[in-house]
Amino acid sequence: YALPSLRVAPSGRYLTTEDGRPFVYLADTAWELLHRLSRDEAEVYLKTRADQGFNAIQTVALAELGGLDAPNAYGDTPLVDGDPSRPDVTPGADPRDAAQYDYWDHVDHIVDRAASRGLYLALLPTWGSRWNRGKSSDPEIFTPDNAESYGRWLGERYRSRPIIWVLGGDRDIQSDRHKAIIRAMAKGIAIGVSGREDYSQVLMTFHPRGGRSSAQWFHDDPW
């Protein structure tokens, strides 16, 4: 489903499609869409939002609420032993065969169904508690090394899909290590999408906690 690529206008003040038409970003937030909904439930949700005039859906691959160990609607989890460098994938993608249809096949399906209705996915690779625990009890599973490898895997898998990449996940940068993890993930995604560290081929931003600016820590980064 060939939705137009999106980019930042030369002025740096708004988004455009690849042919220069202004793009008004009107998104609904469905953080648990990929993790909790079945195919049929997702279809109802996406149709409803498209009919209402939305053009993007904000969601997260490694969800906040049990996203590592609570199975999705089909009994699958995203990672092997909670390791970002080991996405849990199986051969095949037939939804009628539980042995084939894994967590990421389900993500693929929802991404494609959204695109078929003219909806971009503003995709967070992970909720922020996975790299900055804050007050959460979630384990911090990301390092700069596995953040880059996970980002590269995601970028390569979704390189042809209409994705707006959203790093962060409701967390602030509180250390140099945090900043290194986010930059490594951004680098990995860019390489996965285009085969090289080319940020012109991705539309990418950062999602901080409320009351912060997405540009506070990364305004001068190439993405």
Side-chain angles (χ1 to χ4, degrees), residues 1 9 28 34 38 45-46 63 80 93 100 133-134 148 151 158 186 216:
Y1 302 104
D28 188 42
L34 306 177
S38 69
Y45 169 76
L46 295 171
V80 176
Q100 290 189 32
R133 180 183 296 111
E148 182 175 338
Y158 298 108
Q216 183 170 341

Side-chain angles (χ1 to χ4, degrees), residues 17-164:
T17 59
E18 56 196 331
D19 58 1
R21 290 177 293 129
F23 179 81
V24 179
Y25 179 79
L26 182 61
D28 188 42
T29 300
W31 292 139
E32 295 285 332
L33 168 65
L34 306 177
H35 179 213
R36 298 288 182 177
L37 269 60
S38 69
R39 289 164 66 100
D40 289 344
E41 290 167 338
E43 191 69 32
V44 171
Y45 169 76
L46 295 171
K47 179 182 185 303
T48 301
R49 290 298 177 261
D51 290 347
Q52 290 169 332
F54 290 91
N55 57 20
I57 302 297
Q58 298 178 167
T59 192
V60 56
L62 304 183
E64 176 186 13
L65 304 176
L68 299 183
D69 51 19
N72 70 359
Y74 298 94
D76 299 310
T77 54
L79 306 174
V80 176
D81 296 329
D83 183 351
S85 67
R86 301 170 65 198
D88 195 352
V89 294
T90 56
D94 187 345
R96 298 166 297 182
D97 184 348
Q100 290 189 32
Y101 194 67
D102 60 49
Y103 184 94
W104 298 102
D105 293 329
H106 191 54
V107 174
D108 296 348
H109 172 76
I110 294 176
V111 170
D112 288 342
R113 294 307 301 154
S116 75
R117 296 190 177 279
L119 296 164
Y120 295 82
L121 275 201
L123 181 64
L124 280 67
T126 180
W127 197 250
S129 57
R130 313 301 178 198
W131 56 269
N132 178 1
R133 180 183 296 111
K135 296 180 180 180
S136 168
S137 61
D138 291 338
E140 293 183 4
I141 62 174
F142 280 100
T143 66
D145 286 342
N146 66 27
E148 182 175 338
S149 67
Y150 174 65
R152 188 178 299 207
W153 182 82
L154 281 179
E156 184 173 354
R157 188 175 184 103
Y158 298 108
R159 65 197 310 172
S160 62
R161 263 84 166 203
I163 299 292
I164 300 167

